Amino acid sequence: MTTEPPSKRRDVTNVRTSVEQFVSAAAGAKSPALRTTHRLVFGIDATASRQPTWDLACELHDELFREAARLGNIAIQLCYFRGQGEFVTSGWTTTPAELHERMASVLCRGGHTQLNRLLTHTAEEAARHPLKALVFIGDCFEENPSQAINIAGQLALRGVPAFLFQEGSDPTAAKVFAAIASITRGAHVAFDSASPDALRRLLGAVARYAVGGRVALEDVSRQGSNPQTLALLNQLPRE
C-alpha cells in the first residue's frame, strides 16, 4: 500500500477545510433583506383601452423612485390586471430599471376591471408587512361597489391609504374611487393623459408621501405648489 507524502496530505486537508468553511458560511448566509420599510403597491388597469396610459406610466415610473430618493428608499410592487381574469403581481422592486423592465414587456388586453382583486391583494400584502400606500391608475369601474367599500375598510384598518388616479371623468369610477380614497384616508385625483406632467407630479407626490408623510408634501407645496400636489394635500388628514 502506497503512502501519500505529508505535504500532499496537508494540501488535501487544507482544501477540505476551506470547502467545509465555505459550505458552512453559505449555509448560514441569509438572503439580503429589503433595506427599506417604505413599501408601495403600484396597480395599473391594463385592459385594452389602456395601452396609451400604460406606455405613459412606463415613461414616468421612475418619478416614484426619484422623489422617494430625496427622503429615503422605496420598494415598489407592480400589479396589473387585463384579459379574462388575468391578475399579475411582481416581486418587490427597488430600482427604476427593474420596474421598467417588467412594465416594458406588458401589452394591454381586453377584459373587465379587477380593482376589487387589487384591493384584496393589497390587504393581504399589508397583513405580511407594513405598506405605506396603494397607488392605482385607471379610468373605469365595472365591479361590485359594495365589495370595493368593504375591502377598502380592511385597508383602512391596516393603515394603508389608497391613491386613485383617474384618467378621464367616468362618473361611476369617480364615485367609487372617491369613496375608497375617503375610507382609507388617501386621495382621488383625476388627470388627463394628454398632459403627462400631471401624472408625473401625482406619482412624485405620492412617493414623497409614502416615504415622508404629509409633512413631505407640505414642504413641496411651500417650495412651489402645483395643482396635483395640492389636490393630494387637501384630501389627506393632518398628522
Side-chain angles (χ1 to χ4, degrees), residues 3-238:
T3 303
E4 294 179 340
S7 61
K8 187 172 183 180
R9 288 201 298 273
R10 282 196 299 272
D11 290 343
V12 171
T13 299
N14 291 338
V15 170
R16 183 181 297 114
T17 300
S18 297
V19 171
E20 289 173 349
Q21 290 174 342
F22 173 81
V23 171
S24 177
K30 297 180 180 180
S31 300
L34 206 59
R35 295 180 298 173
T36 178
T37 56
H38 307 302
R39 296 176 186 256
L40 183 152
V41 173
F42 183 30
I44 310 181
D45 180 342
T47 52
S49 63
R50 307 296 302 148
Q51 193 66 54
T53 306
W54 180 276
D55 294 340
L56 177 61
C58 282
E59 295 176 14
L60 304 180
H61 76 284
D62 60 343
E63 193 71 17
L64 290 165
F65 294 95
R66 182 182 296 112
E67 286 301 309
R70 300 177 190 274
L71 301 171
N73 294 321
I74 194 168
I76 296 173
Q77 183 186 69
L78 174 67
C79 302
Y80 62 89
F81 52 79
R82 63 181 182 177
Q84 301 304 309
E86 183 180 1
F87 182 80
V88 180
T89 66
S90 75
W92 290 99
T93 301
T94 56
T95 68
E98 288 180 284
L99 184 57
H100 183 269
E101 182 178 0
R102 288 166 178 163
M103 294 181 71
S105 63
V106 176
L107 294 176
C108 295
R109 296 175 183 166
H112 295 292
T113 63
Q114 299 179 62
L115 179 56
N116 287 349
R117 190 168 178 182
L118 172 63
L119 296 173
T120 299
H121 168 77
T122 303
E124 292 170 350
E125 283 290 337
R128 299 186 185 100
H129 32 237
L131 295 182
K132 292 295 184 178
L134 162 67
V135 178
F136 174 69
I137 300 175
D139 64 346
C140 63
F141 182 83
E142 303 166 305
E143 304 156 68
N144 185 328
S146 297
Q147 184 181 13
I149 299 304
N150 289 335
I151 306 170
Q154 297 176 30
L155 292 180
L157 289 174
R158 296 190 180 279
V160 183
F163 295 86
L164 300 103
F165 301 150
Q166 179 185 356
E167 180 186 4
S169 57
D170 179 84
T172 299
K175 183 177 180 179
V176 175
F177 291 1
I180 294 170
S182 177
I183 291 169
T184 62
R185 307 184 79 186
H188 161 238
V189 184
F191 74 96
D192 184 349
S193 61
S195 302
D197 280 347
L199 182 57
R200 182 192 302 277
R201 293 190 185 107
L202 287 170
L203 294 177
V206 77
R208 289 185 70 88
Y209 177 82
V211 177
R214 181 189 171 94
V215 67
L217 289 187
E218 291 175 342
D219 288 343
V220 172
S221 68
R222 283 192 291 268
Q223 295 168 11
S225 61
N226 60 66
Q228 289 73 35
T229 299
L230 289 175
L232 287 182
L233 190 58
N234 290 337
Q235 294 182 55
L236 294 174
R238 294 196 174 274

